[in-house]
Amino acid sequence: MPSIRAPGAKKSTTLTVAVKCRPLRHKERGRDIVQVIESKEVLILDPDLSKDYLDRIRNRTKEKKYCFDHAFGPDSTNLEVYTKSISSIIPEVVQGLNVTVFAYGSTGSGKTYTMVGTKDDPGLMVLSLHTVFDLIKMDKRADEFEVTCSYLEVYNEIIYDLLEKSSGHLELREDPEEGITVAGLRCIKKQMPTILGLLQVHSAGKILELLNMGNSRRKTESTEVNATSSRSHAVLEISVKRKGRNKYPNQVLHGKLALVDLAGSERATETNNAGQKLRDGANINRSLLALANCINALGKQQKKGLAYVPYRNSKLTRILKDGLSGNSQTVMIATISPADIQYHHTVNTLKYADRAKEIKTHVQRNVGVVDTHVSDYQRMIDSLQVTEVCQLKKKLAEKESELSSKPAEKAADDELSWLNIISHEISENVQERINLQKAMSELEETNLNNRSELQRLDDIISRHQAVELDGAIVKDLIARRLVILDNIRENDEAGINYQKEIEANEKQRGQLQGMIDEAVSRNGNKTYLRILSQYRLLGMANSELQLEVAMRDQVIRHQREGLKNLWNLLMGQGLDEKQISHLAVKQGLRIEGWTMTPLALVEKQSSSLTSSRPTSVGPSSGIEYLEGTKTCDFTISIFKG
Ligand SMILES: Nc1ncnc2c1ncn2[C@@H]1O[C@H](COP(=O)(O)OP(=O)(O)OP(=O)(O)O)[C@@H](O)[C@H]1O
């Protein structure tokens, strides 16, 4: 019997921010200027000792104080950080919720130490993994669990697999069911109670072994501040699928835990590096800049409503999208150094963390079904990418080494490697275009919502003005109207920039294509050309499939919207669960996952729902104007008929 899913309850939660100050190192010059007060406050003393009492009372001091959810001093262990700020939310992962933990701070401030740790002081990645396995072992129900683990790094805006010895470049995919995924990323799988899977892992210990191997593959460099500075952003993802044996047998709860060790947040110039290192710095900062922009926009969203969040501006922010805004309970660990020479970095990190406190996420249980058309489709594309394209790449490499062993063909060889680079650039160019087009359509959607809110506001303002009701209300509504207009203007400006980027991207595509066609027409090596054209054709086919997937995502989003309206309509009629189920049965439909009556649901979701009472417009507008509408959020999935 075909089925639809009942609306799921969403829980709004703010980002948890914890600060950890590392100990002053023996070799470190300078003075300790950080004080942690009552496990919540962080006081940064003025690094300039020459300031006298008078300067201080004239408020010329650079002393600063911040308050966070948790603050840990130099004596705190990783276990303490874990127990107080994370351990309570890890069990949610086993219950189908998403959790994201990321460490942010300047180079040498202790991010890797906190996330990975040492043998004597294991880090948050290790402690969380143990908890996940322990929780599964202790589970009393007869449910089946599947735990998979992947570990990647983003270096110079390229994604590498840390679980692969020599990983190629990996690409991001957007799946309407799974969210952002990385095609071709190696996943270590453990199934409980039956152990199946390609790569079997019998315990957390085995995964930890692989994790250590992955860490040793991370791109590190010696900077002036840190001898083994991580130049990349590393993301460990632990995914837990739980399949019920008795109730809803084809229902799967899918929780994800993402643990992120970011690269240093310092500016490239300040690490006094040059050449490749400087390029690393610029690219690391491109991702971190994008992250800062997203955090700003998300903070603004709490105050202003529908601000556009530019997740698409970097690989890192695309990967972290769910963790930052969407369906995730998120913890930020801001790491700082106590040294006076690090004052500016420390204050920058704390300012950033202070802003992040404002971010709200909306957590919802991820419920799926065992089999879906969508994931089949995605798997098909991934296998095309991973197997066929990889095989062709291998053949190409073989052919190239064969050619380079013949001196007479050296010129052809050079030409061929050049062609290879160009082919890769074309594929990157297509990816970028898809990304830009999606960003454009998201922007348009945001502005569509802004415009409809504007329309509603205008109607209500004119109604209020007509009957000359309370002037204060009209004043508030007009102020809100200005905020919305401001949002629309900013989004329109961002749209113009995206449009320009799309045009530049198309121009580059044309140039690359022209170069490759010319080179191919000049090259005489028939075998190579055959393989190359096959490779390119496959690459094109893959890109086209991706475009189709992007368009299909859009359709699914609209279907989701349609179904949401349908539920709103049903609930607006005041029907109860029994009546709706009865209607559904008559239509040959089954409703899955109903755990409470729609009325109870309406009450639970009081922030987004309205009954006959008016409700507020924006998250903090304090204005009430919507009348008599009921709305609710829900999830849908695609079922085989
Ligand atoms: N809590 C701590 N206790 C003891 N030593 C620490 C602690 N935190 C960090 N350290 C030490 O400080 C140094 C820098 O730490 P780490 O490499 O973790 O910094 P990072 O923020 O990851 O730097 P980068 O961004 O350059 O990779 C290391 O030698 C580490 O062992």
Side-chain angles (χ1 to χ4, degrees):
M1 194 198 271
S3 53
I4 56 170
R5 173 100 29 81
K10 274 190 179 183
K11 187 175 84 181
S12 274
T13 167
T14 43
L15 199 121
T16 302
V17 181
V19 172
K20 189 189 179 204
C21 178
R22 70 158 168 78
L24 201 64
R25 282 182 278 161
H26 296 308
K27 279 190 245 159
E28 218 157 19
R29 279 169 287 130
R31 179 171 74 90
D32 186 338
I33 55 161
V34 176
Q35 288 174 14
V36 171
I37 307 158
E38 291 180 350
S39 307
K40 287 224 181 267
E41 284 177 349
V42 183
L43 177 69
I44 315 297
L45 303 174
D46 193 329
D48 184 357
L49 278 176
S50 66
K51 286 206 181 117
D52 58 16
Y53 177 71
L54 218 58
D55 272 346
R56 285 172 200 277
I57 55 166
R58 279 185 194 139
N59 214 9
R60 284 195 203 134
T61 174
K62 281 158 81 186
E63 196 171 289
K64 299 213 180 323
K65 199 179 196 180
Y66 297 88
C67 187
F68 298 97
D69 296 302
H70 308 278
F72 301 93
D75 298 329
S76 299
T77 60
N78 283 329
L79 183 64
E80 251 177 276
V81 177
Y82 177 76
T83 311
K84 292 196 179 135
S85 38
I86 300 166
S87 63
S88 63
I89 52 171
I90 299 292
E92 309 271 26
V93 179
V94 181
Q95 301 299 334
L97 291 171
N98 291 348
V99 171
T100 303
V101 181
F102 65 95
Y104 179 93
S106 61
T107 180
S109 60
K111 296 178 295 296
T112 308
Y113 187 95
T114 308
M115 296 311 278
V116 182
T118 59
K119 204 160 166 271
D120 298 332
D121 190 10
L124 307 186
M125 288 181 173
V126 182
L127 296 167
S128 320
L129 250 169
H130 275 301
T131 309
V132 167
F133 275 91
D134 288 348
L135 284 165
I136 294 175
K137 266 188 224 147
M138 286 183 316
D139 197 83
K140 296 269 184 308
R141 276 179 277 175
D143 293 354
E144 241 174 60
F145 288 93
E146 182 190 279
V147 184
T148 50
C149 168
S150 65
Y151 198 25
L152 63 84
E153 71 173 341
V154 183
Y155 175 69
N156 271 332
E157 286 302 300
I158 299 170
I159 303 169
Y160 297 91
D161 193 340
L162 287 171
L163 298 181
E164 283 289 348
K165 205 166 173 191
S166 42
S167 152
H169 299 185
L170 300 178
E171 267 147 27
L172 288 172
R173 297 268 179 278
E174 279 171 57
D175 184 290
E177 288 288 311
E178 302 273 327
I180 299 276
T181 59
V182 180
L185 187 66
R186 187 183 185 194
C187 283
I188 299 166
K189 194 189 261 185
K190 175 170 168 58
Q191 236 163 4
M192 294 166 155
T194 40
I195 297 167
L196 292 168
L198 285 172
L199 223 145
Q200 295 178 5
V201 183
H202 303 274
S203 65
K206 180 70 186 160
I207 296 188
L208 293 179
E209 216 176 275
L210 286 152
L211 194 64
N212 285 336
M213 208 146 67
N215 283 330
S216 66
R217 289 187 190 124
R218 272 188 80 180
K219 316 270 184 304
T220 55
E221 285 288 352
S222 155
T223 64
E224 267 196 4
V225 194
N226 186 2
T228 51
S229 173
S230 314
R231 307 318 289 153
S232 65
H233 311 289
V235 183
L236 172 73
E237 193 183 274
I238 300 156
S239 134
V240 181
K241 281 189 182 159
R242 175 188 198 131
K243 192 175 164 213
R245 284 254 176 102
N246 308 323
K247 213 178 169 194
Y248 308 124
N250 67 339
Q251 183 172 291
V252 179
L253 290 178
H254 188 185
K256 278 190 273 183
L257 168 65
L259 297 139
V260 189
D261 178 13
L262 295 172
S265 57
E266 70 288 342
R267 264 160 279 155
T269 45
E270 286 181 29
T271 48
N272 205 12
N273 290 321
Q276 174 66 26
K277 288 186 195 171
L278 195 64
R279 197 163 93 92
D280 290 356
N283 264 318
I284 288 165
N285 280 310
R286 175 179 161 180
S287 267
L288 286 169
L289 186 69
L291 183 63
N293 286 335
C294 288
I295 287 181
N296 266 341
L298 285 162
K300 201 163 98 181
Q301 215 168 43
Q302 299 313 313
K303 294 191 182 105
K304 290 177 58 172
L306 294 162
Y308 178 69
V309 186
Y311 294 109
R312 292 188 176 278
N313 290 0
S314 80
K315 298 255 164 74
L316 178 73
T317 43
R318 286 177 71 193
I319 294 173
L320 293 185
K321 183 177 175 206
D322 249 359
L324 285 172
S325 67
N327 189 15
S328 181
Q329 225 157 302
T330 306
V331 182
M332 173 184 183
I333 312 277
T335 55
I336 53 173
S337 151
D340 54 353
I341 44 165
Q342 295 291 323
Y343 174 85
H344 289 291
H345 289 324
T346 303
V347 169
N348 280 342
T349 302
L350 294 177
K351 274 190 196 158
Y352 199 86
D354 200 48
R355 230 175 296 143
K357 285 193 309 198
E358 314 237 319
I359 297 176
K360 267 203 173 70
T361 58
H362 310 279
V363 196
Q364 187 174 29
R365 213 169 292 287
N366 301 317
V367 189
V369 281
V370 182
D371 213 349
T372 67
H373 289 309
V374 175
S375 7
D376 286 350
Y377 199 11
Q378 191 64 55
R379 261 194 293 278
M380 191 178 86
I381 297 167
D382 291 350
S383 81
L384 177 72
Q385 173 87 8
V386 177
T387 53
E388 303 199 38
V389 175
C390 282
Q391 270 174 19
L392 282 166
K393 271 186 184 165
K394 209 170 134 206
K395 275 194 204 166
L396 270 176
E398 279 164 18
K399 187 71 198 161
E400 275 175 32
S401 68
E402 202 181 291
L403 283 172
S404 54
S405 60
K406 296 179 193 164
E409 299 203 32
K410 179 82 180 76
D413 184 29
D414 288 347
E415 182 95 329
L416 299 178
S417 354
W418 176 81
L419 276 174
N420 223 358
I421 294 168
I422 301 281
S423 296
H424 179 73
E425 278 186 29
I426 288 192
S427 140
E428 295 242 305
N429 168 282
V430 173
Q431 293 291 331
E432 182 67 14
R433 200 177 70 219
I434 294 172
N435 194 28
L436 285 167
Q437 273 166 347
K438 282 190 175 180
M440 277 295 277
S441 82
E442 282 166 9
L443 252 180
E444 277 161 15
E445 211 169 296
T446 313
N447 257 2
L448 213 68
N449 291 334
N450 270 320
R451 290 207 164 87
S452 70
E453 186 176 348
L454 197 68
Q455 178 71 52
R456 274 182 286 152
L457 270 168
D458 282 346
D459 288 350
I460 292 159
I461 291 172
S462 57
R463 256 188 283 152
H464 273 286
Q465 280 172 335
V467 288
E468 286 180 1
L469 275 175
D470 192 350
I473 295 180
V474 175
K475 223 168 116 192
D476 279 351
L477 289 168
I478 291 173
R480 175 73 189 157
R481 192 180 180 279
L482 288 177
V483 168
I484 300 292
L485 277 173
D486 200 29
N487 276 341
I488 294 176
R489 185 185 46 76
E490 278 178 20
N491 289 347
D492 281 344
E493 275 170 19
I496 292 170
N497 288 336
Y498 278 129
Q499 192 54 48
K500 280 189 192 147
E501 280 187 55
I502 290 175
E503 280 161 23
N505 170 285
E506 276 166 4
K507 200 168 153 203
Q508 190 206 13
R509 172 76 197 262
Q511 284 168 349
L512 288 168
Q513 196 59 55
M515 281 156 89
I516 211 164
D517 288 344
E518 200 197 323
V520 167
S521 69
R522 274 191 276 115
N523 194 296
N525 190 313
K526 292 278 179 332
T527 321
Y528 175 81
L529 281 184
R530 203 171 46 77
I531 300 171
L532 181 72
S533 69
Q534 237 178 311
Y535 170 49
R536 285 179 51 210
L537 274 175
L538 256 172
M540 296 285 179
N542 193 32
S543 306
E544 262 154 38
L545 273 171
Q546 278 178 48
L547 261 176
E548 265 179 52
V549 171
M551 279 152 66
R552 187 210 54 198
D553 285 355
Q554 202 93 329
V555 172
I556 290 176
R557 264 223 310 273
H558 289 146
Q559 282 178 346
R560 233 170 231 181
E561 203 56 31
L563 198 54
K564 179 175 166 182
N565 292 337
L566 205 77
W567 274 112
N568 289 338
L569 199 77
L570 276 173
M571 289 178 161
Q573 301 300 311
L575 298 176
D576 63 20
E577 185 175 328
K578 212 169 141 194
Q579 288 166 311
I580 295 178
S581 302
H582 188 65
L583 274 175
V585 171
K586 270 191 170 171
Q587 296 297 318
L589 279 171
R590 186 159 51 89
I591 301 176
E592 290 221 346
W594 225 338
T595 51
M596 61 182 109
T597 64
L599 271 178
L601 197 80
V602 168
E603 268 160 29
K604 184 148 187 152
Q605 294 182 333
S606 56
S607 60
S608 62
L609 304 180
T610 61
S611 56
S612 54
R613 282 180 292 119
T615 192
S616 71
V617 178
S620 59
S621 64
I623 304 162
E624 297 187 331
Y625 73 82
L626 277 178
E627 288 140 339
T629 51
K630 282 182 178 176
T631 61
C632 68
D633 291 306
F634 72 103
T635 50
I636 65 156
S637 50
I638 313 273
F639 294 83
K640 286 192 169 172

